[in-house]
Amino acid sequence: MEFRSFLIKYAEIGTKGKNRYLFEDALIKQIKRALKEVEGHFVITKESGRIYVDAEGDYDYDEALDALKRVFGIVWICPMVQFEDRDYENIKKQIVAYMDQVYPDKHLTFKVNARRGDKSYPHMSEEINRDMGEVILNAFPETKVDVHHPDVMLHIEVRKKVNVYSLMIPGAGGMPVGTNGKAMLLLSGGIDSPVAGWMIAKRGVKIDAVYFHAPPYTSERAKQKVVDLAKLVARYSGPIALHVVNFTDIQLYIYEKCPHEELTIIMRRYMMRIAERIATETGCIGLITGESIGQVASQTMQSLLCTNEVCTLPVYRPLIGFDKQEIVDISEKIDTYETSVLPYEDCCTIFVAKHPVTKPSLDRIKRSERNLQEKIDEMVEEAIQTKETIWCD
Ligand code: ATP
Ligand code: MG
């Protein structure tokens, strides 16, 4: 069966009143964006509480479906057959052809669920159910009707045109990006932070990102890996402005002036400070990290207290309660895993102490940071001024 249309179903929650059109318009925008990279031309229309995607001319069904599966806010994607001739006999003919092509194996149970969107149509829903059921049973004697738990729920909607669908493919869920403000993701080359960004984007939040680069200790390839990860996340979230901050001088300065077992914590505090500055300058109202309690020394409760202390923006840590394997499972699902495990060093691993503190004291950390007084403000300023912004789409 050649499907040329998709019926897009989205959750009704959060779409009441005037929010509804905002939600729908954001969803349509995201659908358009996702389909831009698919071969073919698509027309998207909104009609009383639902969205249709129609392909015009040749198009790639699998690619279109994959693109739609990446759009947050969609609950179900229903490939649909649509025809204009509403003549009762024609509907019967079309239904038989549909069942024949979509279900090569006819050992199945089904139920017809007809809906008359146009109340002037001369056949009632119940009558359509009965007659179409009979037509299918006659054409395919192996089929059976099961009104409680059918294998196939065949929807027939008689509106200005007739819509027929029975396949329901799960969408990405969540809310359309653009319905919930913008946040700044601290994106490293690891497994966790791309997943964290994906999770927050799934709630309708637009994402920008910042990466702390430490050349020559971290290579161009390590940076390219982060750009690639940002592009992979952008397939779901829409374009990401990735700010690359040169962190080398700050890192060397901390290395020179502070106790080595506190390096990671102090370094993370400067990352948070700089990320927050760039966030507020670019209209972001939250920070996102890939932290999870206890994963490494810098993510114990005491360490998180220290890194959190430098920020006033809310810090979203969607992976906070996840085990590594649960994070890996998501990264595989969203296709970032393979890129994340490429073996290029990141700046956190270059300067790590053999025995980092696992229970840092905030007072001690603050005292150590006083050793940086002379030059650090200037260095932070310089790092922010010289950042390079890469558009990842
Ligand atoms: P990830 O897999 O995301 O790299 P991780 O397990 O390596 O995480 P850390 O290195 O402790 O954890 O980093 C914790 C969080 O801090 C990361 O998830 C990320 O949000 C942020 N982060 C760490 N290094 C960088 C960096 N170089 N640039 C931007 N953000 C970073
Ligand atoms: Mg890391």
Side-chain angles (χ1 to χ4, degrees), residues 128-162:
I128 303 176
N129 286 341
R130 217 180 324 108
D131 292 344
M132 296 304 152
E134 197 179 302
V135 162
I136 294 169
L137 288 170
N138 287 338
F140 311 110
E142 312 93 292
T143 62
K144 284 198 191 86
V145 170
D146 179 345
V147 291
H148 299 296
H149 303 288
D151 300 326
V152 174
M153 176 70 94
L154 182 68
H155 298 272
I156 304 174
E157 300 178 341
V158 185
R159 297 182 163 220
K160 272 202 210 91
K161 297 176 184 172
V162 182

Side-chain angles (χ1 to χ4, degrees), residues 188 190 346 348:
S188 66
D346 71 49
C348 298

Side-chain angles (χ1 to χ4, degrees), residues 186-188 190-193 210 212 268 289-290 295 298-299 348:
L186 282 85
L187 181 62
S188 66
I191 294 170
D192 306 329
S193 43
V210 57
F212 296 92
R268 303 267 307 111
T289 75
Q295 201 189 76
S298 59
Q299 296 177 30
C348 298

Side-chain angles (χ1 to χ4, degrees), residues 1-2 9-10 31 34 43 61-62 66 70 80 106 128 136 143 152 184 191 246 251 261 267 285 329 343 354 365 381:
M1 170 77 21
E2 199 202 13
K9 296 199 172 184
Y10 47 88
I31 291 173
V43 178
Y61 173 81
D62 294 321
D66 277 346
R70 289 194 299 269
M80 184 178 89
K106 302 293 183 298
I128 303 176
I136 294 169
T143 62
V152 174
M184 182 65 75
I191 294 170
N246 188 322
Q251 241 177 336
E261 67 275 12
M267 202 175 76
I285 55 172
D329 290 347
K354 280 212 184 68
I365 297 282
E381 216 48 56

Side-chain angles (χ1 to χ4, degrees), residues 236-285:
Y236 296 89
S237 68
I240 293 177
L242 171 67
H243 307 286
V244 179
V245 173
N246 188 322
F247 205 51
T248 314
D249 290 347
I250 293 175
Q251 241 177 336
L252 289 173
Y253 191 47
I254 299 172
Y255 192 72
E256 183 192 333
K257 300 279 184 189
C258 300
H260 286 187
E261 67 275 12
E262 293 174 0
L263 277 183
T264 311
I265 298 293
I266 296 177
M267 202 175 76
R268 303 267 307 111
R269 279 164 62 91
Y270 278 97
M271 284 187 185
M272 299 299 271
R273 288 180 172 111
I274 294 172
E276 179 164 271
R277 278 278 303 276
I278 300 174
T280 35
E281 280 169 19
T282 55
C284 294
I285 55 172

